[in-house]
Amino acid sequence: MATMTIAKALNNGLRAAMERDPKVIVMGEDVGKLGGVYRVTDGLQKDFGEQRVLDTPLAESGIIGTAVGLAIRGFRPVCEIQFDGFVFPGFDQIVSQLAKLHYRSQGKVKVPVVVRIPFGGGIGAVEHHSESPESYFAHAAGLKVVACSNPSDAYWMIQQAIAADDPVIFFEPKRRYWEKGEVDPDADPPPLFASRVVRPGRTLTVAAYGPMVKTCLDAATAAEADGHDLEVIDLRTLSPLDLDPVLESVRRTGHLVVVSEAPSESSIASEIAARVQQEAFYSLEAPVLRVTGFDTPYPPSKCEEDYLPDLDRVLDAVDRSLGW
């Protein structure tokens, strides 16, 4: 058992995957000599060489396109998109090529590519550096989409994503990179495409993913003062969505609040609300409520605290749900 940050856990997970399989290649802008802007790939080029840790040009379309070709030739590329808003120049390659090659070839061609994307706000960055684009990719058939929220999941999920034969979009909560937690390299990890209850409770269910999981855990602690016992579920997988733990919880609590940084319209939160109301309607004692970013472009950094869901907004939704 070791204590490490999410960034270090990702680094150790990448290292373990590279040691296990010489076909694993890391590529992206500044991932080599610099070790990535968040130092997630720190030391990998020194230890594995420039042939396996490649500093690429500033060209996301080229990064993804090259990774597709490498995957067809038997490699397992791990692409880093330096910031979430930079992924869009490579969007066509991801949704038109990476997502469809396995289907287009009737299963003959596998493209085991992982696209790592630091996502979300809260770091005081400039435009294009604080996006939450997960809904775009969850909508694209042929892609798997996951989001880690803690060091243990970061360590295991990146290895599981690399080992998967499907392309995986791997979202990392950038403002949580330096938060610490326990990692047990000898443990049996949970399945990659599975949600998990991270705090049991009986009064109300809260579902979240990525950076919002910690916010919801803090809200659950604060809600104890009002006698509310919140159950918090870390979704972990966004496509495919694993809603079984959410449905099981809602059938006990009768209440659900879904929390996400992304805008509310046509979102992961929207899909969860629709599915739960479809499949557990008679268990609900109140409508499913969503606490999300606003349906606007991400604001200047001085305004982001007003944009991002926080503990008070989550607790307000809890009170509204329980007061229905």
Side-chain angles (χ1 to χ4, degrees):
M1 187 77 73
T3 301
M4 61 185 74
T5 63
I6 288 179
K8 185 62 175 177
L10 287 164
N11 180 278
N12 286 355
L14 287 166
R15 184 178 298 277
M18 296 182 77
E19 289 172 347
R20 189 180 304 117
D21 185 351
K23 293 292 187 179
V24 176
I25 294 175
V26 173
M27 54 195 297
E29 299 159 10
D30 298 318
V31 298
K33 289 182 173 61
L34 181 66
V37 292
Y38 295 106
R39 302 300 186 267
V40 170
T41 55
D42 188 38
L44 295 182
Q45 189 179 77
K46 174 179 174 292
D47 294 339
F48 294 97
E50 295 182 4
Q51 297 299 309
R52 293 189 63 195
V53 183
L54 289 72
D55 281 316
T56 67
L58 306 184
E60 284 74 19
S61 181
I63 294 169
I64 303 301
T66 301
V68 170
L70 286 166
I72 291 172
R73 299 293 294 177
F75 291 92
R76 290 183 176 271
V78 182
C79 305
E80 178 180 296
I81 303 298
Q82 197 169 73
F83 286 93
D84 35 44
F86 298 178
V87 74
F88 297 111
F91 188 78
D92 180 36
Q93 290 281 14
I94 293 174
V95 301
S96 299
Q97 305 300 329
L98 187 60
K100 293 181 171 59
L101 272 169
H102 188 71
Y103 181 84
R104 188 184 298 149
S105 66
Q106 296 183 326
K108 296 181 178 65
V109 177
K110 295 178 180 179
V111 277
V113 175
V114 175
V115 182
R116 293 181 41 244
I117 306 178
F119 82 122
I123 63 168
V126 296
E127 191 177 23
H128 308 307
H129 290 65
S130 301
E131 306 293 327
S132 294
E134 55 269 25
S135 294
Y136 290 108
F137 300 104
H139 182 73
L143 298 176
K144 308 294 188 186
V145 184
V146 299
C148 61
S149 69
N150 59 74
S152 181
D153 272 355
Y155 176 77
W156 288 113
M157 288 172 71
I158 191 64
Q159 295 181 66
Q160 293 168 313
I162 293 169
D165 285 334
D166 292 310
V168 178
I169 310 299
F170 194 96
F171 283 103
E172 303 166 6
K174 69 167 80 77
R175 67 165 152 151
R176 308 295 188 196
Y177 270 141
W178 300 277
E179 294 181 1
K180 295 182 178 181
E182 296 296 318
V183 177
D184 183 0
D186 298 320
D188 292 324
L192 178 60
F193 304 115
S195 301
R196 186 170 60 185
V197 175
V198 291
R199 177 182 171 127
R202 296 171 296 175
T203 306
L204 178 144
T205 306
V206 182
Y209 58 91
M212 285 291 101
V213 173
K214 183 180 186 302
T215 301
C216 293
L217 288 170
D218 291 343
T221 299
E224 288 181 331
D226 295 325
H228 301 322
D229 184 19
L230 306 188
E231 179 150 293
V232 180
I233 297 176
D234 184 350
L235 295 169
R236 300 176 76 250
T237 175
L238 308 181
S239 182
L241 268 173
D242 175 27
L243 289 185
D244 286 347
V246 178
L247 292 167
E248 180 183 343
S249 179
V250 167
R251 289 179 180 125
R252 286 187 289 103
T253 67
H255 300 268
L256 174 63
V257 172
V258 187
V259 185
S260 167
E261 282 192 22
S264 180
E265 293 288 331
S266 304
S267 64
I268 301 293
S270 301
E271 176 66 14
I272 294 168
R275 291 268 300 277
V276 169
Q277 291 181 155
Q278 175 180 313
E279 299 180 35
F281 179 79
Y282 291 106
S283 297
L284 288 168
E285 298 177 18
V288 177
L289 299 182
R290 290 173 283 170
V291 181
T292 67
F294 298 109
D295 295 312
T296 67
Y298 197 87
S301 58
K302 287 186 178 180
C303 303
E304 68 179 353
E305 288 188 10
D306 297 319
Y307 176 90
L308 293 170
D310 60 9
L311 182 146
D312 288 337
R313 284 178 61 192
V314 175
L315 290 177
D316 177 68
V318 169
D319 288 341
R320 285 189 287 122
S321 178
L322 293 174
W324 195 267

